[in-house]
Amino acid sequence: LQGLPRGTKLEVLVFNERIVPVFGKLTTFGAGQRKTLLETMEQLITDDGIATYPVLQQALDVAGAKDTTAWKSGPDEILFLTVNVPTAGEVTDAELVAGGMALRARLRMVTVHTVGSDYHPYELCRQLAARTGGVYVDLTR
């Protein structure tokens, strides 16, 4: 958060089995959003239901599901942080999630950076970042 340039737009999607948008749309980041985001992060609780495919799909479609809208107003980058393997949603196979989301992201020229902590899908995070030009950070202790 410290290094975000002025005028950066972002949305944060908190997820377990359900996906909860923090701001509800791409929002210009400022002091009020920083406070909301910090409060949200302090209240996070990890769960076993991890809707990886749906949250990545929603992140790619945050400005709209149509490619023309996504190209014009959609995200340039996604930061995906996970603490568990996919267990919820229509696709739970980590290899299929990585391949499908990497293809969709590449078609829209969206870079996906991944951060894995605890027991996360190592290969999914590694492949998703590598296939989209992103960076993978493993925070497992």
Side-chain angles (χ1 to χ4, degrees):
L1 298 176
Q2 300 299 335
L4 288 177
R6 182 180 285 282
T8 297
K9 289 188 175 190
L10 67 99
E11 169 62 294
V12 176
L13 304 172
V14 176
F15 70 103
N16 282 323
E17 284 187 65
R18 288 187 7 227
I19 301 166
V20 180
V22 173
F23 304 118
K25 63 180 180 172
L26 282 172
T27 304
T28 302
F29 192 67
Q33 290 74 21
R34 179 184 309 274
K35 182 178 183 221
T36 299
L37 187 53
L38 290 173
E39 289 170 356
T40 300
M41 299 303 254
E42 289 173 355
Q43 297 172 8
L44 286 179
I45 299 172
T46 59
D47 192 351
D48 195 25
I50 304 295
T52 302
Y53 189 85
V55 78
L56 287 168
Q57 191 169 22
Q58 190 167 333
L60 282 168
D61 293 344
V62 71
K66 292 186 178 184
D67 285 337
T68 53
T69 304
W71 272 92
K72 181 180 177 189
S73 306
D76 297 321
E77 294 180 279
I78 292 172
L79 173 61
F80 175 68
L81 170 63
T82 187
V83 297
N84 203 343
V85 298
T87 58
E90 62 269 19
V91 181
T92 57
D93 181 288
E95 190 173 317
L96 293 175
V97 171
M101 286 296 106
L103 177 60
R104 286 196 70 215
R106 282 192 348 231
L107 289 171
R108 292 187 180 174
M109 298 182 70
V110 174
T111 303
V112 181
H113 304 287
T114 59
V115 177
S117 182
D118 296 327
Y119 180 69
H120 68 278
Y122 304 94
E123 199 55 32
L124 181 154
C125 290
R126 189 176 1 266
Q127 288 299 318
L128 188 55
R131 292 177 183 177
T132 63
V135 175
Y136 164 53
V137 177
D138 182 353
L139 297 180
T140 305
R141 293 183 194 160

